[in-house]
């Protein structure tokens, strides 16, 4: 079900501005929201709003045409329930790719390769305040849209409007980098509908955190992990 996506292929796609793509990544937080588990918040302490879960489910029910990333951890823990959800909603034919292609790239020492590809594009960063300093740490973005550090779903409309204020009417092909927790998949869907034939839209999640000294994931706290 999950198709392999190599880092080299993903980076080639990023460099090719003339062939925009959208990559929406579905981890355990997104799936717990969709499947309505009993959890109250994800690992970053973002709440599971019922309406957010419904909106995430609706994204998949619409049978999106863009690239969808499936986290291996999610598949191992919720695979049978995910399969049932997809079958019940007649979207079992969705094509999934390995969602952690960039994170594994960073783990295995390829962060500079990722940065080189991203820096070849004009980049809009959408993410929490600590990412604002990325130009001092190797990622030379064009513009930045802030995202609250907690419960950004409650501010989703304002985040979307902030993105539109930067890119509406912009004809140059952009790379939109999203780091907005679970609502990033809602943003991917909304932005694809409006700009998917012009801009590349990727949910990079926490990938940029260690560049600015934020060790938000367990692999980033490993002494062997180097940037």
């Amino acid at each position: 079900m999950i198709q392999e996506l190599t880092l080299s292929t993903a980076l080639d796609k990023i460099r090719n501005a003339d062939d925009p793509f959208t990559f929406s990544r579905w981890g355990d937080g997104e799936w717990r929201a969709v499947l309505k588990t009993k959890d109250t918040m994800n690992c970053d302490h973002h709440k599971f709003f019922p309406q957010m879960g419904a909106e995430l489910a609706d994204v998949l029910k619409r049978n999106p045409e863009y690239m969808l990333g499936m986290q291996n951890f999610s598949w191992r823990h919720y695979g049978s329930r995910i399969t049932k959800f997809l079958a019940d909603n007649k979207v079992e034919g969705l094509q999934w790719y390995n969602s952690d292609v960039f994170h594994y790239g960073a783990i295995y020492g390829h962060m500079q390769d990722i940065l080189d590809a991203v820096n070849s594009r004009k980049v809009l960063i959408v993410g929490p305040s600590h990412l604002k300093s990325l130009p001092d740490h190797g990622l030379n973005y064009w513009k930045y849209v802030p995202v609250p550090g907690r419960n950004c779903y409650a501010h989703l409309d304002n985040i979307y409007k902030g993105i539109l204020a930067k890119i509406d009417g912009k004809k140059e092909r952009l790379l939109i980098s999203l780091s907005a927790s679970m609502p990033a998949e809602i943003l991917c869907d909304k932005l694809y509908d409006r700009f998917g034939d012009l801009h590349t839209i990727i949910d990079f999640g926490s990938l940029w955190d260690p560049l600015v000294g934020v060790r938000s994931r367990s692999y980033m706290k490993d002494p062997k992990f180097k940037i």
Side-chain angles (χ1 to χ4, degrees), residues 14 91 107 129 144 147 190 193 197 199-200 204 212:
I14 287 174
V91 289
I107 290 171
S129 60
Y144 163 77
V147 167
K190 291 167 70 74
D193 284 346
D197 60 346
H199 303 315
T200 296
F204 280 110
V212 295

Side-chain angles (χ1 to χ4, degrees), residues 115-161:
L115 287 172
D116 289 345
V118 170
N119 282 330
S120 73
R121 301 290 303 276
K122 193 163 189 173
V123 182
L124 172 69
I125 291 287
V126 182
S129 60
H130 58 261
L131 297 186
K132 194 171 184 179
S133 65
L134 278 171
D136 298 327
H137 303 279
L139 202 165
N140 305 312
Y141 64 76
W142 164 65
K143 296 287 184 182
Y144 163 77
V145 174
V147 167
R150 292 284 187 275
N151 300 326
C152 45
Y153 176 74
H155 306 270
L156 190 60
D157 286 346
N158 286 336
I159 296 169
Y160 182 61
K161 289 175 183 177

Side-chain angles (χ1 to χ4, degrees), residues 6-33:
T6 66
L7 181 63
S8 60
T9 296
L11 297 185
D12 284 345
K13 288 176 70 64
I14 287 174
R15 293 187 191 96
N16 187 3
D18 292 329
D19 188 17
F21 70 98
T22 293
F23 188 32
S24 172
R25 299 169 52 253
W26 295 72
D28 62 298
E30 287 82 0
W31 281 115
R32 283 186 285 164

Side-chain angles (χ1 to χ4, degrees), residues 43-54:
C43 63
D44 296 315
H45 304 289
H46 290 271
K47 292 181 181 178
F48 286 112
F49 297 95
Q51 183 58 32
M52 180 185 72

Side-chain angles (χ1 to χ4, degrees), residues 26-81:
W26 295 72
D28 62 298
E30 287 82 0
W31 281 115
R32 283 186 285 164
V34 168
L35 299 173
K36 302 176 184 178
T37 66
K38 296 180 180 180
D39 304 274
T40 59
M41 62 182 66
N42 74 352
C43 63
D44 296 315
H45 304 289
H46 290 271
K47 292 181 181 178
F48 286 112
F49 297 95
Q51 183 58 32
M52 180 185 72
E55 288 191 47
L56 286 167
D58 285 344
V59 167
L60 296 176
K61 290 175 184 178
R62 287 194 291 272
N63 200 23
E65 299 177 348
Y66 48 81
M67 296 177 69
L68 299 170
M70 178 73 76
Q71 181 192 50
N72 286 329
F73 177 87
S74 301
W75 185 246
R76 288 197 308 271
H77 285 264
Y78 304 107
S80 61
R81 295 181 64 181

Side-chain angles (χ1 to χ4, degrees), residues 13 32 59 99 103 106 114 125 155 167-168 178 180 197 211:
K13 288 176 70 64
R32 283 186 285 164
V59 167
S99 72
H103 294 74
I114 297 170
I125 291 287
H155 306 270
I167 69 174
D168 222 2
L178 301 175
D197 60 346
L211 293 174

